Amino acid sequence: MKKGTSLSDLRMEMVAQVGAFGALVIVAASFIYSFWNIKWVAEQLGPAEPPPGTAWLPFLFPFIIDVPALVASILIVALHGKARIHRIYAWVVLVVFITASWVCNGVHAVTYSQIIVRAEGEWWSYALVVLIAGFPPIGVVLGMHMWAYALRHSQAAEAPVPASTAKKRSRATKTADVKPAVVELPKGDAETADETEVPAPRSDDQARVLARCAEILAANPGEKPVAADIHRELGLTCNRATSRRWVQAAWDKHSAERSEESAAA
């Protein structure tokens, strides 16, 4: 376990890894099933006897339909918290191509469905078949979305420190080389007559705490940093109550920013 990684972070990472693998299984199964249905539709669009050397072209049609939907579902996860116009674009692409995939799967299902035959062409049989035919394209997109979401959380504990934060921490460490100050205690009885050296709090403790909070919140925005872990990890010279107050202030600011972003969205 890496230094600074709590047991809850490790458990979350393991669960996310398992979830990411399961999501990939869903994507693979749904894509393969949808692939042949869309390929059949592409074959029906062309001549009964395709020209020599063009028999492989229908194999490209499923990629033209399902791959843009996969990319759009990943972009929706990646663009979380970004400008609304970018998120709207990703959602439009997703809706357009998942609808096209659903239509192709529905055409194939209606053509070969025994449910419609046994129901003697009742309208509800067509609706039922088209509805069920939408499961593969939805599985492709939903599985990819879950995979991207799980992968983002599985890497939260190992997320790199932002360059701006790293520069600030480096600058603060270089400019805050403060020597321990000598504090003379009041001289009363013989037990307190000697001077005792007490290290004064480092002037960069607050900056280091806020920088560490920024790293943790950047990796996992929904989890409040643990003040005790940060105090122990950074080896702070201030008291625990002070570091806990700084962590709480960073969390309150982060929560307020998230609330403003949610309201704006």
Side-chain angles (χ1 to χ4, degrees), residues 94-189:
L94 176 63
V95 171
V96 168
F97 282 95
I98 197 175
T99 301
S101 180
W102 196 328
V103 169
C104 292
N105 279 271
V107 170
H108 179 272
V110 168
T111 303
Y112 289 102
S113 176
Q114 293 298 315
I115 296 177
I116 297 177
V117 175
R118 295 173 182 176
E120 297 181 352
E122 293 290 338
W123 68 269
W124 59 265
S125 61
Y126 286 93
L128 179 62
V129 168
V130 172
L131 178 64
I132 297 176
F135 290 172
I138 292 178
V140 171
V141 174
L142 186 60
M144 183 57 67
H145 180 89
M146 291 189 296
W147 172 81
Y149 189 80
L151 185 64
R152 185 177 68 177
H153 282 274
S154 68
Q155 296 176 345
E158 301 179 359
V161 179
S164 59
T165 303
K167 291 181 179 178
K168 291 180 180 178
R169 290 190 61 189
S170 177
R171 191 182 305 116
T173 303
K174 290 180 180 178
T175 59
D177 187 11
V178 181
K179 295 182 179 180
V182 177
V183 181
E184 292 187 3
L185 297 178
K187 295 181 180 180
D189 52 23

Side-chain angles (χ1 to χ4, degrees), residues 36-51:
W36 296 107
N37 295 342
I38 299 177
K39 173 181 172 294
W40 175 85
V41 173
E43 292 173 344
Q44 307 310 307
L45 297 176
E49 297 181 1

